[in-house]
Amino acid sequence: MAVAMASCGSTLAVYTKLVAIEKQPIFKTAFFGPSFASDPVKLMSTSAKQRLSYSLSTMIPKASATAIEDGSYQDTDVVPTPKVIIDQDFDPNATVVEITFGDRLGALLDTMNALKNLGLNVVKANVCLDSSGKHNTFSITNASTGRKVDDPELLEAIRLTIISNLLEYHPESSAQLAMGEAFGVEAPAQKLDVDIATHVHVYDDSPDRSLLVVETADRPGLLVDLVRIVTDINVAVESGEFDTEGLLAKAKFHVNYRGKALIKPLQQVVTNSLRYFLRRPTTEESSF
């Protein structure tokens, strides 16, 4: 799958190795495997909420200072849409994360340190600026294995860590992110209806796999829930891309059933299961 950073004309490569404070691994599940014994998503949501409620008042001046230095915060009335892309396909040896928020993003050193605290190494960082804004990309590996991140819970923890740091250093982004409802200084004015926002499709990708595409309203823990639902149907998730674009989450997963592409009846089962789960919050018990 193509990543937005591929179109950048010039990049500044900064190679940084961050050694984890704790050597013991946090997660040991196989790539997008069915084991979800631990729940770092709840831990990340709780810790992020506590940290933001404590430090937002002190971090707002820092965000404003960065924006003023870039000449974007006070000169621009329109707040850009924040984007966080987690790509498992672009690099066979690392998980690629891209963060875009117009031209407002700083050096993101605090985000890199937060990823280090999750037991990760940032082996390469690229920064480029084009007409769509500043793109910050990180190539991330698991500190314990030296390989790309292969656990959906840890991938979701990475996503929540980045978003919580984005809310902390750029509080104006909270009105553009679904997470701003819980963690931001200003909740989004637009509320996405789950039924309307949800789209699920399965396409034939090759004889050995299918492409599952999901678009729905974003919320904490969504990546883990999507993978859990699919694996509960005994469909394997090979790799993919998970994009957070403002209030929406867009997922593209390569899936297979026993090493083969999904046949039409199984595609329908996967589609119906995901649609039911993603619409469930708006369904009243009395309707059954």
Side-chain angles (χ1 to χ4, degrees):
M1 297 179 190
V3 187
M5 67 170 180
S7 62
C8 297
S10 60
T11 61
L12 172 63
V14 182
Y15 291 86
T16 308
K17 285 194 175 181
L18 303 175
V19 181
I21 295 177
E22 296 181 1
K23 296 300 183 181
Q24 49 188 349
I26 301 176
F27 305 96
K28 297 182 180 179
T29 53
F31 181 72
F32 281 157
S35 174
F36 298 93
S38 57
D39 196 352
V41 175
K42 291 183 179 179
L43 177 61
M44 283 300 307
S45 300
T46 304
S47 60
K49 188 172 183 179
Q50 292 174 343
R51 184 172 73 254
L52 291 178
S53 62
Y54 174 78
S55 61
L56 260 178
S57 60
T58 61
M59 296 313 302
I60 290 177
K62 183 172 183 179
S64 300
T66 302
I68 292 173
E69 182 181 356
D70 292 342
S72 60
Y73 181 68
Q74 294 187 0
D75 296 338
T76 304
D77 294 328
V78 179
V79 177
T81 300
K83 296 182 181 180
V84 178
I85 299 175
I86 299 177
D87 195 331
Q88 293 287 73
D89 289 335
F90 185 78
D91 189 334
N93 301 312
T95 298
V96 176
V97 177
E98 179 183 348
I99 310 171
T100 304
F101 186 45
D103 60 354
R104 302 181 180 216
L105 286 174
L108 297 181
L109 294 178
D110 294 273
T111 298
M112 295 171 69
N113 286 329
L115 294 174
K116 164 190 170 183
N117 292 333
L118 291 177
L120 303 168
N121 286 336
V122 179
V123 296
K124 183 170 65 175
N126 297 323
V127 180
C128 66
L129 184 65
D130 61 15
S131 58
S132 63
K134 181 185 293 184
H135 304 273
N136 292 262
T137 62
F138 304 118
S139 295
I140 301 172
T141 60
N142 195 314
S144 62
T145 64
R147 304 174 63 116
K148 68 165 56 182
V149 181
D150 58 4
D151 182 80
E153 293 175 336
L154 184 51
L155 290 170
E156 178 68 359
I158 292 171
R159 188 174 76 99
L160 292 182
T161 296
I162 292 172
I163 291 176
S164 67
N165 274 272
L166 184 62
L167 291 171
E168 186 171 2
Y169 288 93
H170 297 277
E172 72 273 18
S173 68
S174 66
Q176 302 284 337
L177 287 164
M179 307 300 179
E181 188 77 45
F183 305 139
V185 293
E186 182 181 354
Q190 179 186 4
K191 309 297 180 184
L192 290 178
D193 182 86
V194 179
D195 288 342
I196 296 177
T198 298
H199 302 280
V200 182
H201 302 283
V202 182
Y203 303 99
D204 294 329
D205 193 28
S206 74
D208 299 327
R209 66 183 187 180
S210 300
L211 179 64
L212 171 63
V213 180
V214 181
E215 180 177 314
T216 190
D218 191 24
R219 59 173 175 75
L222 180 60
L223 173 58
V224 176
D225 288 337
L226 291 178
V227 176
R228 179 187 286 117
I229 294 167
V230 174
T231 54
D232 282 348
I233 312 173
N234 295 321
V235 173
V237 180
E238 299 177 10
S239 61
E241 178 183 307
F242 193 87
D243 302 352
T244 303
E245 298 185 10
L247 304 179
L248 284 176
K250 300 179 180 180
K252 298 178 183 178
F253 298 133
H254 298 297
V255 298
N256 71 77
Y257 179 71
R258 297 182 178 178
K260 299 294 182 182
L262 275 59
I263 60 176
K264 295 299 181 181
L266 187 53
Q267 290 182 11
Q268 194 63 49
V269 170
V270 171
T271 300
N272 292 343
S273 298
L274 288 171
R275 283 177 177 168
Y276 168 76
F277 176 82
L278 295 171
R279 294 180 180 185
R280 188 169 54 186
T282 62
T283 304
E284 298 180 359
E285 295 181 359
S286 58
S287 64
F288 289 93

